[in-house]
Amino acid sequence: MPEHGRRKICAVVASRANYARIKTVLQAVREHPELELQVVAGASLVLERFGNAVDVMELDGFTPDATIRFIIEGETPATMAKSTGLGLLELPTVFELLKPDVVITVADRFETIATAIAAAYMNIPVAHTQGGEVSGSIDESVRHAVTKLAHVHFPATELAARRVIAMGEDPETVFNVGCPSIDLVARADLGLRADVLAQFGGTGSPIDPEQPFVLVMQHPVTTEYGQGLEQIEETLEAVASIGLQALVFWPNVDAGSDQVAKGIRRFRELGRAHGFHFFRNLPPEVFVRLMAHTACMVGNSSAALREGAFLGTPAVTIGTRQRNRERATNVVDAGHDRAEIAAAIRAQIAHGAYPSAHLFGDGSAGSKVAEILAEFEPRIQKTLHLELGVEASGSARR
Amino acid sequence: MPEHGRRKICAVVASRANYARIKTVLQAVREHPELELQVVAGASLVLERFGNAVDVMELDGFTPDATIRFIIEGETPATMAKSTGLGLLELPTVFELLKPDVVITVADRFETIATAIAAAYMNIPVAHTQGGEVSGSIDESVRHAVTKLAHVHFPATELAARRVIAMGEDPETVFNVGCPSIDLVARADLGLRADVLAQFGGTGSPIDPEQPFVLVMQHPVTTEYGQGLEQIEETLEAVASIGLQALVFWPNVDAGSDQVAKGIRRFRELGRAHGFHFFRNLPPEVFVRLMAHTACMVGNSSAALREGAFLGTPAVTIGTRQRNRERATNVVDAGHDRAEIAAAIRAQIAHGAYPSAHLFGDGSAGSKVAEILAEFEPRIQKTLHLELGVEASGSARR
Amino acid sequence: MPEHGRRKICAVVASRANYARIKTVLQAVREHPELELQVVAGASLVLERFGNAVDVMELDGFTPDATIRFIIEGETPATMAKSTGLGLLELPTVFELLKPDVVITVADRFETIATAIAAAYMNIPVAHTQGGEVSGSIDESVRHAVTKLAHVHFPATELAARRVIAMGEDPETVFNVGCPSIDLVARADLGLRADVLAQFGGTGSPIDPEQPFVLVMQHPVTTEYGQGLEQIEETLEAVASIGLQALVFWPNVDAGSDQVAKGIRRFRELGRAHGFHFFRNLPPEVFVRLMAHTACMVGNSSAALREGAFLGTPAVTIGTRQRNRERATNVVDAGHDRAEIAAAIRAQIAHGAYPSAHLFGDGSAGSKVAEILAEFEPRIQKTLHLELGVEASGSARR
Amino acid sequence: MPEHGRRKICAVVASRANYARIKTVLQAVREHPELELQVVAGASLVLERFGNAVDVMELDGFTPDATIRFIIEGETPATMAKSTGLGLLELPTVFELLKPDVVITVADRFETIATAIAAAYMNIPVAHTQGGEVSGSIDESVRHAVTKLAHVHFPATELAARRVIAMGEDPETVFNVGCPSIDLVARADLGLRADVLAQFGGTGSPIDPEQPFVLVMQHPVTTEYGQGLEQIEETLEAVASIGLQALVFWPNVDAGSDQVAKGIRRFRELGRAHGFHFFRNLPPEVFVRLMAHTACMVGNSSAALREGAFLGTPAVTIGTRQRNRERATNVVDAGHDRAEIAAAIRAQIAHGAYPSAHLFGDGSAGSKVAEILAEFEPRIQKTLHLELGVEASGSARR
């Protein structure tokens, strides 16, 4: 850390979801007198096919200090690994140029681990958000691996913080600040007028957000690669059977997203998407408004569990992608079966909104992170903090 | 895992040290009737500058199924990160070709994490050796990150196994088998004739291994990048002051190894390397014999703590690279100070050989690993196994 | 070249256009008793976003021996250069595996030069098709650079062959065989029934190919990067003003294709694409039938000049991309101006079909290429063949 | 080109040889009031193993604006292709950052073509030196391919300029300025004192440059990959048989250089290198002094033909690497045969110095290049300039 001047805090923002989960940190860092913000835009954040979410970020005043493109198109398991590799070829160049004092990496994606590895090998302290959560997909493994590479941790819940510490991180480096995404929700104007979507384009049937609508966001599950097309079909058929308007988001860039996208396109080409509107990206605040008003959120996005808990959004979470993730009462599970999904959606619509739950924080995460980054003195050489009790010892097998 | 045919076990061997630590596993897998061995040779293992250790491996009958070159020359922190990235571009191609059922990754290097990430994203179960140990350098972080990506764990000590479990790995997937490197030591012919080194070349003064000699192996510490030249100078000056013959190994390929190598070259060009002989690589069995006979091993190689424990090798371990690593009584520590190092060497020479300690296993690791790999049914979707007690909870800070 | 066994001829097919221009060579090589065909599928050929043309190739019986993905998404000038680089990281691995005796590279794209460089550095003879033609865009430079790297040349016209020789290639290595794409045209069933398009999907208004329709294919011009959106808008507005049905193809993967695609999407989202149908890819034989029946082909595809010459397709070629390319009478030029384009389209529709011109060959290119590849003895070490006359000498300036 | 401000001229310097051939251009650009110099250091120029020639460049006051590392270690044909690819991943990042108006690329190496492709795809005009020369090795193909990608040409001889034009380059873009390396020679202090080498280290026997000595520089020939070890052995044995002191340079980083280096190491380890001194790099001015005083220069470096012509250095050029290259009377050829080489060396020693020949220029190349770069208006869209006469037409076959 520099003894003079402001600390340079470099956030690598690599997807629309990343941005929603780190935006208030960027704001708080930018406003902090002892910090200097650097933003690196990369991966799907800067791609047309994923809605070019960087435009939204720039409208918020965050002009990237560097833009890097490291998505190798194809969305197979191999290209996901290779895109991680290409990120690792690009990020060190950026870090050599920007010379950050701390690098922030968000959540559990391949961009996240590429960022963590690049910074860690370059002796730049790594700050990690959303550590200690549990889920399905490869995200589960990657999230915890990033924890082991990070020097300071900003888990989003008390339970997640305890997990990070239990995995051997120094408790002095673990700060339960809540999730920055909740800051957005807490501050957002949740009003929803009929014209709110007009400026954002998209394709398909027009949507009147003042009438009941379903919100669909379903990503591939990498550990179930090859099943994505079938999985999205079940979901779309279930949604179609409900008869409400539907807002459908294209999937993010993981192994299998081509298959999910193909399922959506095929559904549309078969003329089954009556009353469906398709978006690639929306500003996070607009998305939050939709979550606040949707009759039911459907799919496997963690937003249903995270922002949804705060908003009380009725949600149906499908499959294994969010398995084991901490949640409030607003979520019910369903398998990849159209009848089961449809029944769950109907039940949630009948139930209506849930009470707000604050397990992912109270809306002050961004400023807490900035405050800690201004004061914390990271040690580059990590040390494992485990106190091994007797019972742990007994369970090692031969 | 295939229901028919033999399981394909693919080991990625990426350095001379890797090879010594996995050789008996390769042998046992090759001989196991239900397993088929695949060997990928890469990184410094296939480079002249690092002694082309692949030649030794091939002499042992392990012809690589694939050879990949992913060292971006330069050995800076940035190139170490980038070489990880290049490995991640190369390894998926190999895995797509070889279609392994399990990938074995060794220890804690950048090749190790590149291998683990590539396989994990491709839904190939990852087997990891040497997890749960602690040390300094970036290896410390990388080792634990690989644990979080791996599906089956072969830690080398009881304590390491307990750490792997404590970090949240399913105890059913953790097997303390001891270190395969000890298998080699236990089986080796430890006799040392004057001509044993003749065939392996090297440069500098000839060495008579029947006379007392010091063994020097010092690698850069990535988290202390920029200090390597000075650090090796202190060591070489200390060794020179002892007055014995010295066998010096060139460093491995990490950030800073160029600086260590430069220090060695400069020492030699200054005419200070009287009685010093320099090697790039030796077959592991020959190296073990040298460890069995050296008056003192000096530097920061983990071999001094690992194979050295079994052999009772008097050793001086310098600096932070092996800090906190489990050890027997044969090792004493020293800082990067020529006087302190020289005093420690003299004391160790005066002490002579230590009793054999079996904390890294008893010589049966290879066959145990093969046996487990033949039977174990890994689950691709990992799940965190943590039972959070009350005291863990209390330590999360706000 | 091997003294025993069949020569291995490896074609790298990297886009739908590539495939149409090399398909009959693949067929002829496969059928030749002294040759063994290897096919590498890569780049946009294997991407959903570009119609996954590899599926068409596989239906034709060409299962790829290797599939490589090296498109770095973004389609900026920088990513086009970087995708070339990623191709150069992937192709050597494939060539080491397949050990071809000759590599075939097609035309003038970044995949083409990546293939040529990889093979040439690996001492594998390079066969190049479509050398000696002239055009605009970066293709112009790349095409001639590939000529200088290639060991055997299959230009498609007499004039092109003369240019290749004039540039210093050994006349013994230059074979004017005509263009393999013409083979397809000459053999194709050119009948067009109303249902021919039904199975190929696409989006937008249904098309009745038995009624008059315009065929639109417009790619970005890399040397005019930044103008693509505006350029396609002029074209689409002109086409819309004609009032016929229109079949529009998405652009290929060059710097700026995102902008062209955005222009198409925006046109569609504005509701201006009445009577327009959009395709990502069609089998080459189906595309040829459309060219045989279209009222007018519009855009800047070389197909208008090449297959179009043989078919007598009335065509309007816009902008500089095909500037200077050899052509028959079927093509008229227009600038990027909607009025000028519309006028030219109307004139071409009024004119109707042109007589067939054979300047790109007579339909026997594929078998000629195979025959030559079976007999030719390439020399790896190239030598410049220039005879410098007096007048050439005079023109060098100081 | 910018209408305001100074033109930014970016030279990519990627090896010690590159630097010697472009240094006076860098000086002249730096001093020109209308130009701004940017220097990118990369590849072997920044590697310890190749003498870290960037240090010499920095001592001359050229601090790199960017340093990129893209040598994938291994020096096989595949890694040479892959290093080209890695260069193509790194260079666009640098060009996006530096925003040059012109990029200078030197001669005929893989770094040269990577630079040319990156700049050309990014619509940055490419200036190329040493085009139009002929030689052996893959350099021959690469040199002419770069010519086809370049927008302005600075060939070093009148004949080379005529060749560049004959290959179809616009004569308005071709400037025979002579070779910048001759500028250095013409300006150099050619005195040689006994202590001139003292400060540059190296290994092996000390050399007294006031006594007769042989200068050996032999690189691998990529098109004869696999023969490098044998080839260098013949050369070293021949030199040893002469009985004079020998100054031997390690080879540059091409496919096969590991083999040449291994041959040198083996020769040394066998104790055959009596009176030999080994250098990785020397400042170009010092190297020129050695060339001015050597009894005979031996190997296959183009310096023997280029700087050697001006200096009248007696030289023996071995094998095919310089085949067909323009030359003065100072060079005699020999095959890879120790007796033939030794006889040629003896004859050259007996002959002594040759008269100075100015075919590679008169020492004013650097300033001419700078002057032209300040005034020239390149067109990004290249156009082939060929006037095809009747005889050219006749030679196309089939």
Side-chain angles (χ1 to χ4, degrees):
Chain A
M1 292 287 185
E3 295 185 3
H4 63 287
R6 296 180 298 163
R7 276 188 185 175
K8 288 182 278 189
I9 309 296
C10 177
V12 179
V13 186
S15 69
R16 62 187 178 203
N18 263 201
Y19 179 56
R21 269 79 190 258
I22 205 66
K23 174 176 170 176
T24 64
V25 171
L26 303 187
Q27 291 174 324
V29 167
R30 182 169 57 182
E31 288 160 15
H32 197 289
E34 293 166 44
L35 301 177
E36 176 183 336
L37 178 67
Q38 300 175 326
V39 179
V40 177
S44 63
L45 190 84
V46 297
L47 293 179
E48 273 294 319
R49 189 158 56 108
F50 299 92
N52 223 6
V54 69
D55 293 349
V56 171
M57 192 172 85
E58 294 202 30
L59 282 176
D60 288 338
F62 301 109
T63 305
D65 294 273
T67 298
I68 49 180
R69 297 170 196 279
F70 58 89
I71 298 297
I72 300 176
E73 205 170 332
E75 285 91 72
T76 67
T79 59
M80 194 159 47
K82 289 189 179 208
S83 292
T84 315
L86 190 55
L88 274 163
L89 285 171
E90 294 288 348
L91 286 159
T93 307
V94 170
F95 294 156
E96 282 195 323
L97 176 68
L98 297 182
K99 300 191 186 355
D101 296 303
V102 174
V103 165
I104 299 179
T105 193
V106 181
D108 50 26
R109 294 178 48 74
F110 62 85
E111 307 95 333
T112 312
I113 196 167
T115 301
I117 292 175
Y121 270 120
M122 295 175 75
N123 293 331
I124 306 168
V126 175
H128 181 216
T129 64
Q130 300 189 27
E133 300 186 27
V134 294
S135 72
S137 205
I138 187 64
D139 308 354
E140 167 71 5
S141 300
V142 167
R143 187 184 310 114
H144 304 318
V146 173
T147 290
K148 301 315 295 180
L149 294 162
H151 299 80
V152 54
H153 309 270
F154 297 112
T157 74
E158 179 63 22
L159 180 59
R162 286 166 55 199
R163 288 201 197 100
V164 168
I165 292 166
M167 284 188 277
E169 295 304 297
D170 181 349
E172 299 291 316
T173 67
V174 181
F175 303 90
N176 169 21
V177 292
C179 185
S181 67
I182 302 303
D183 302 6
L184 275 188
V185 178
R187 295 178 202 170
D189 164 14
L190 296 176
L192 194 65
R193 294 193 319 264
D195 62 350
V196 73
L197 296 175
Q199 61 184 303
F200 301 111
T203 55
S205 310
I207 292 279
D208 176 356
E210 292 184 325
Q211 298 302 315
F213 63 92
V214 176
L215 199 57
V216 182
M217 185 178 267
Q218 185 162 321
H219 303 300
V221 179
T222 68
T223 45
E224 298 167 357
Y225 183 74
Q227 305 173 36
L229 196 150
E230 212 169 279
Q231 292 177 348
I232 189 69
E233 277 177 359
E234 293 300 307
T235 299
L236 294 176
E237 288 291 353
V239 171
S241 75
I242 300 297
L244 295 184
Q245 314 175 93
L247 267 171
V248 181
F249 282 78
W250 297 93
N252 62 18
V253 62
D254 276 325
S257 58
D258 247 21
Q259 291 303 301
V260 176
K262 191 177 189 170
I264 295 176
R265 276 201 303 276
R266 183 190 289 185
F267 193 78
R268 191 172 62 179
E269 289 174 12
L270 289 170
R272 309 268 308 119
H274 188 71
F276 282 44
H277 193 81
F278 301 89
F279 275 116
R280 295 191 182 274
N281 185 45
L282 285 180
E285 288 85 351
V286 176
F287 187 72
V288 159
R289 291 194 215 181
L290 296 175
M291 285 188 65
H293 290 266
T294 184
C296 183
M297 184 164 180
V298 179
N300 60 12
S301 165
S302 64
L305 290 77
R306 184 178 296 272
E307 289 92 335
F310 191 94
L311 292 163
T313 307
V316 175
T317 290
I318 305 170
T320 64
R321 191 164 181 270
Q322 300 304 336
R323 195 170 54 183
N324 299 329
R325 196 186 286 273
E326 219 175 331
R327 57 178 65 191
T329 55
N330 69 306
V331 180
V332 300
D333 289 320
H336 289 291
D337 176 89
R338 63 185 74 180
E340 187 181 345
I341 298 166
I345 296 174
R346 283 198 190 90
Q348 286 287 53
I349 293 174
H351 181 285
Y354 285 80
S356 178
H358 287 207
L359 74 165
F360 283 95
D362 57 6
S364 60
S367 56
K368 282 178 183 161
V369 168
E371 204 54 55
I372 294 163
L373 288 177
E375 291 173 15
F376 186 64
E377 292 300 333
R379 281 182 295 276
I380 275 301
Q381 178 63 63
K382 289 190 68 177
T383 310
L384 196 64
H385 279 247
L386 283 179
E387 287 172 37
L388 300 178
V390 176
E391 68 282 64
S393 147
S395 42
R397 298 174 47 197
R398 281 216 172 231
Chain B
M1 292 286 186
E3 295 184 2
H4 63 287
R6 297 180 297 164
R7 273 188 186 173
K8 287 181 279 189
I9 309 295
C10 178
V12 178
V13 186
S15 68
R16 62 185 179 205
N18 263 201
Y19 180 56
R21 269 79 191 256
I22 205 66
K23 174 176 170 176
T24 65
V25 171
L26 304 187
Q27 290 173 326
V29 168
R30 182 169 57 182
E31 288 159 17
H32 197 289
E34 294 166 44
L35 301 177
E36 176 184 336
L37 178 67
Q38 300 175 325
V39 179
V40 177
S44 62
L45 191 83
V46 298
L47 293 179
E48 274 294 320
R49 188 157 58 107
F50 299 93
N52 223 6
V54 69
D55 293 349
V56 170
M57 191 173 85
E58 294 202 30
L59 281 176
D60 288 339
F62 301 109
T63 306
D65 293 274
T67 298
I68 48 180
R69 298 171 194 279
F70 57 90
I71 298 296
I72 300 175
E73 206 170 332
E75 284 93 72
T76 67
T79 60
M80 192 157 51
K82 290 189 178 208
S83 292
T84 314
L86 191 55
L88 273 164
L89 286 170
E90 295 287 348
L91 286 159
T93 306
V94 169
F95 294 156
E96 283 195 324
L97 177 67
L98 298 181
K99 299 191 187 355
D101 296 303
V102 175
V103 164
I104 300 180
T105 194
V106 182
D108 49 25
R109 293 179 47 74
F110 63 84
E111 307 95 331
T112 311
I113 197 166
T115 301
I117 292 174
Y121 269 119
M122 295 175 74
N123 292 331
I124 307 168
V126 175
H128 181 217
T129 63
Q130 300 189 26
E133 301 186 27
V134 294
S135 71
S137 205
I138 186 65
D139 307 354
E140 167 71 6
S141 300
V142 167
R143 187 185 309 113
H144 304 317
V146 172
T147 289
K148 301 315 294 180
L149 295 162
H151 299 79
V152 54
H153 308 271
F154 296 113
T157 73
E158 180 61 22
L159 179 59
R162 286 166 55 199
R163 288 200 198 102
V164 168
I165 292 166
M167 282 188 278
E169 295 303 296
D170 181 349
E172 298 292 315
T173 67
V174 182
F175 303 91
N176 169 20
V177 293
C179 186
S181 68
I182 301 302
D183 301 7
L184 275 189
V185 177
R187 295 177 201 172
D189 165 13
L190 296 176
L192 194 65
R193 294 195 317 264
D195 62 350
V196 72
L197 295 174
Q199 64 184 301
F200 300 111
T203 53
S205 310
I207 291 279
D208 178 356
E210 292 184 327
Q211 299 302 315
F213 63 91
V214 175
L215 199 56
V216 182
M217 185 178 267
Q218 186 162 320
H219 302 300
V221 180
T222 68
T223 44
E224 298 168 357
Y225 184 73
Q227 305 173 37
L229 197 150
E230 211 170 280
Q231 291 177 348
I232 188 69
E233 278 177 357
E234 293 299 308
T235 299
L236 294 176
E237 289 291 352
V239 171
S241 77
I242 302 295
L244 295 185
Q245 311 175 93
L247 267 170
V248 181
F249 283 78
W250 297 93
N252 63 18
V253 61
D254 276 325
S257 59
D258 247 21
Q259 290 304 301
V260 177
K262 191 176 190 171
I264 296 175
R265 275 202 303 276
R266 183 189 290 185
F267 193 77
R268 191 171 64 180
E269 289 174 12
L270 290 171
R272 308 269 307 121
H274 188 70
F276 283 43
H277 193 80
F278 301 90
F279 276 116
R280 294 191 182 276
N281 185 44
L282 285 180
E285 289 85 351
V286 176
F287 187 72
V288 159
R289 291 195 214 181
L290 296 175
M291 283 187 66
H293 289 268
T294 184
C296 183
M297 183 162 179
V298 179
N300 60 12
S301 166
S302 64
L305 289 77
R306 185 177 295 271
E307 290 92 334
F310 191 93
L311 291 164
T313 307
V316 175
T317 289
I318 305 169
T320 65
R321 193 164 179 268
Q322 300 304 335
R323 193 170 57 182
N324 298 329
R325 197 186 284 275
E326 222 177 328
R327 58 178 64 193
T329 54
N330 68 306
V331 180
V332 301
D333 290 320
H336 290 292
D337 177 273
R338 63 186 73 182
E340 186 181 346
I341 298 166
I345 295 174
R346 283 199 188 89
Q348 285 288 54
I349 292 174
H351 180 286
Y354 285 80
S356 178
H358 286 206
L359 75 164
F360 283 94
D362 57 6
S364 61
S367 56
K368 282 177 183 162
V369 168
E371 205 53 57
I372 294 163
L373 288 176
E375 292 174 14
F376 186 66
E377 293 299 335
R379 283 182 295 275
I380 275 300
Q381 179 61 64
K382 291 190 68 176
T383 309
L384 196 63
H385 278 247
L386 282 179
E387 287 172 36
L388 300 177
V390 176
E391 69 280 62
S393 148
S395 42
R397 299 173 50 196
R398 283 216 172 229
Chain C
M1 293 286 185
E3 295 185 2
H4 64 286
R6 296 181 297 163
R7 274 188 185 174
K8 287 181 279 189
I9 309 296
C10 178
V12 178
V13 186
S15 68
R16 61 186 179 204
N18 262 201
Y19 179 57
R21 269 78 191 257
I22 204 67
K23 174 176 169 175
T24 65
V25 171
L26 303 187
Q27 290 173 325
V29 167
R30 182 169 57 182
E31 289 159 16
H32 197 290
E34 294 165 44
L35 301 176
E36 176 183 336
L37 178 66
Q38 300 176 326
V39 179
V40 177
S44 62
L45 191 84
V46 298
L47 293 180
E48 274 294 320
R49 188 158 57 107
F50 299 92
N52 224 5
V54 68
D55 292 349
V56 171
M57 192 172 85
E58 295 201 30
L59 281 176
D60 288 338
F62 301 109
T63 306
D65 294 274
T67 297
I68 48 180
R69 297 169 196 281
F70 58 89
I71 298 296
I72 300 176
E73 206 170 331
E75 286 90 74
T76 67
T79 60
M80 192 158 50
K82 289 189 178 208
S83 292
T84 314
L86 190 55
L88 273 163
L89 286 171
E90 295 287 348
L91 286 159
T93 306
V94 169
F95 294 157
E96 283 195 324
L97 176 67
L98 298 181
K99 299 191 188 351
D101 296 303
V102 175
V103 165
I104 299 179
T105 194
V106 182
D108 50 25
R109 293 178 49 74
F110 64 84
E111 307 94 332
T112 311
I113 197 165
T115 302
I117 291 174
Y121 270 118
M122 294 175 75
N123 293 330
I124 305 168
V126 175
H128 182 218
T129 64
Q130 300 189 27
E133 300 186 26
V134 294
S135 72
S137 205
I138 186 66
D139 308 354
E140 167 71 6
S141 301
V142 166
R143 186 184 311 113
H144 305 318
V146 173
T147 290
K148 301 315 294 180
L149 294 162
H151 300 79
V152 53
H153 309 271
F154 297 113
T157 73
E158 178 62 23
L159 181 58
R162 286 165 56 200
R163 288 199 197 101
V164 169
I165 292 165
M167 282 188 278
E169 295 304 295
D170 181 350
E172 298 291 316
T173 67
V174 181
F175 302 91
N176 169 21
V177 292
C179 185
S181 67
I182 302 303
D183 302 7
L184 275 189
V185 177
R187 295 178 202 171
D189 164 14
L190 297 177
L192 194 65
R193 295 194 318 265
D195 63 350
V196 73
L197 296 175
Q199 63 184 302
F200 300 111
T203 55
S205 310
I207 292 279
D208 178 355
E210 292 184 327
Q211 298 303 314
F213 63 92
V214 176
L215 198 57
V216 183
M217 185 178 267
Q218 185 163 321
H219 302 300
V221 179
T222 67
T223 44
E224 298 168 356
Y225 183 74
Q227 305 173 35
L229 197 150
E230 212 170 280
Q231 291 178 348
I232 189 69
E233 276 177 358
E234 293 300 308
T235 299
L236 294 175
E237 289 290 354
V239 171
S241 76
I242 302 296
L244 295 184
Q245 312 175 96
L247 267 171
V248 181
F249 282 79
W250 297 93
N252 62 19
V253 61
D254 276 325
S257 59
D258 247 22
Q259 290 304 300
V260 176
K262 192 176 189 171
I264 296 175
R265 275 202 303 275
R266 182 189 290 184
F267 193 78
R268 192 171 64 179
E269 289 175 11
L270 290 171
R272 308 270 307 123
H274 187 70
F276 283 43
H277 193 80
F278 301 89
F279 276 116
R280 295 191 182 275
N281 185 43
L282 285 180
E285 289 85 351
V286 176
F287 187 72
V288 158
R289 291 196 214 181
L290 295 176
M291 283 188 66
H293 290 266
T294 185
C296 183
M297 183 163 179
V298 179
N300 59 13
S301 165
S302 63
L305 289 77
R306 184 178 297 270
E307 290 92 334
F310 192 93
L311 292 163
T313 307
V316 175
T317 290
I318 305 170
T320 64
R321 193 165 179 267
Q322 300 304 336
R323 195 169 55 182
N324 299 329
R325 196 186 284 275
E326 222 176 329
R327 57 178 65 192
T329 54
N330 69 306
V331 180
V332 301
D333 289 320
H336 290 292
D337 176 272
R338 62 186 74 181
E340 186 182 347
I341 299 167
I345 297 174
R346 282 198 190 90
Q348 286 288 53
I349 292 174
H351 181 284
Y354 285 79
S356 178
H358 286 206
L359 74 165
F360 284 95
D362 57 6
S364 60
S367 56
K368 282 177 183 162
V369 168
E371 205 53 55
I372 293 162
L373 288 177
E375 292 172 14
F376 186 66
E377 293 300 334
R379 282 182 294 275
I380 276 299
Q381 178 62 62
K382 290 190 67 176
T383 309
L384 196 62
H385 278 248
L386 282 179
E387 287 172 37
L388 300 177
V390 176
E391 68 281 64
S393 146
S395 43
R397 298 173 51 198
R398 283 215 173 230
Chain D
M1 291 287 184
E3 295 185 3
H4 63 287
R6 296 181 298 163
R7 276 188 183 173
K8 287 181 278 189
I9 309 297
C10 177
V12 178
V13 186
S15 68
R16 62 185 178 205
N18 263 201
Y19 180 55
R21 268 80 190 256
I22 205 66
K23 174 175 170 176
T24 65
V25 171
L26 304 187
Q27 291 173 323
V29 168
R30 182 169 57 182
E31 288 160 15
H32 197 289
E34 294 165 43
L35 301 177
E36 176 184 336
L37 178 67
Q38 299 175 327
V39 179
V40 177
S44 63
L45 191 83
V46 297
L47 293 179
E48 274 293 320
R49 189 158 57 107
F50 299 93
N52 223 4
V54 69
D55 293 348
V56 170
M57 191 173 85
E58 294 202 30
L59 282 176
D60 288 339
F62 301 110
T63 306
D65 293 273
T67 298
I68 49 180
R69 297 170 196 279
F70 57 90
I71 298 297
I72 301 176
E73 205 171 331
E75 285 93 70
T76 67
T79 58
M80 193 157 49
K82 290 189 178 208
S83 292
T84 314
L86 190 55
L88 273 163
L89 286 171
E90 295 287 349
L91 285 159
T93 307
V94 169
F95 294 156
E96 283 196 324
L97 176 67
L98 297 182
K99 300 192 186 354
D101 296 302
V102 175
V103 165
I104 299 179
T105 193
V106 182
D108 50 26
R109 294 179 48 75
F110 63 84
E111 306 95 332
T112 311
I113 196 166
T115 301
I117 291 174
Y121 270 119
M122 294 175 75
N123 293 330
I124 306 168
V126 175
H128 181 217
T129 63
Q130 300 189 26
E133 301 186 26
V134 294
S135 72
S137 205
I138 187 65
D139 308 353
E140 167 71 6
S141 300
V142 167
R143 187 184 310 114
H144 304 318
V146 173
T147 289
K148 301 315 294 180
L149 294 162
H151 299 79
V152 54
H153 309 270
F154 297 111
T157 73
E158 179 62 22
L159 180 59
R162 286 166 54 199
R163 288 200 196 101
V164 169
I165 292 166
M167 283 188 277
E169 295 303 297
D170 181 350
E172 299 292 315
T173 68
V174 181
F175 302 90
N176 169 20
V177 293
C179 185
S181 67
I182 302 303
D183 301 7
L184 276 188
V185 177
R187 296 179 202 170
D189 164 14
L190 296 177
L192 195 65
R193 293 194 319 265
D195 62 350
V196 72
L197 297 174
Q199 62 184 303
F200 300 111
T203 54
S205 310
I207 292 279
D208 177 357
E210 293 185 326
Q211 298 302 315
F213 63 92
V214 175
L215 198 57
V216 182
M217 185 177 268
Q218 185 162 321
H219 303 300
V221 180
T222 67
T223 45
E224 298 167 357
Y225 183 73
Q227 305 173 35
L229 197 149
E230 214 169 277
Q231 292 177 348
I232 189 69
E233 277 178 359
E234 293 300 308
T235 300
L236 294 176
E237 289 291 352
V239 170
S241 76
I242 302 296
L244 295 184
Q245 312 175 92
L247 266 170
V248 181
F249 282 79
W250 296 93
N252 62 19
V253 62
D254 277 324
S257 59
D258 247 20
Q259 290 303 302
V260 175
K262 192 177 189 170
I264 295 175
R265 276 202 302 275
R266 184 189 288 184
F267 193 78
R268 191 172 64 179
E269 288 175 12
L270 289 171
R272 309 267 309 119
H274 188 71
F276 283 43
H277 193 81
F278 301 89
F279 275 116
R280 295 191 182 274
N281 184 45
L282 285 180
E285 289 85 351
V286 176
F287 187 72
V288 158
R289 290 195 215 180
L290 294 175
M291 284 188 65
H293 289 268
T294 184
C296 182
M297 184 163 178
V298 179
N300 60 13
S301 165
S302 64
L305 289 77
R306 186 177 294 272
E307 289 93 334
F310 191 93
L311 292 163
T313 306
V316 175
T317 290
I318 305 171
T320 65
R321 193 164 180 268
Q322 299 305 334
R323 194 170 56 182
N324 300 328
R325 196 187 285 275
E326 219 176 331
R327 58 178 64 192
T329 54
N330 69 307
V331 180
V332 301
D333 289 321
H336 289 292
D337 176 89
R338 64 186 73 181
E340 187 182 344
I341 298 166
I345 296 174
R346 282 197 191 91
Q348 286 289 52
I349 292 174
H351 181 284
Y354 285 80
S356 178
H358 286 206
L359 74 165
F360 284 95
D362 57 6
S364 60
S367 56
K368 283 178 182 161
V369 168
E371 205 53 55
I372 293 162
L373 289 176
E375 291 174 15
F376 186 65
E377 292 300 332
R379 282 182 294 275
I380 275 299
Q381 179 62 63
K382 289 189 68 176
T383 309
L384 196 63
H385 279 248
L386 282 180
E387 287 173 37
L388 299 178
V390 176
E391 69 280 64
S393 147
S395 41
R397 298 175 49 196
R398 297 229 171 204

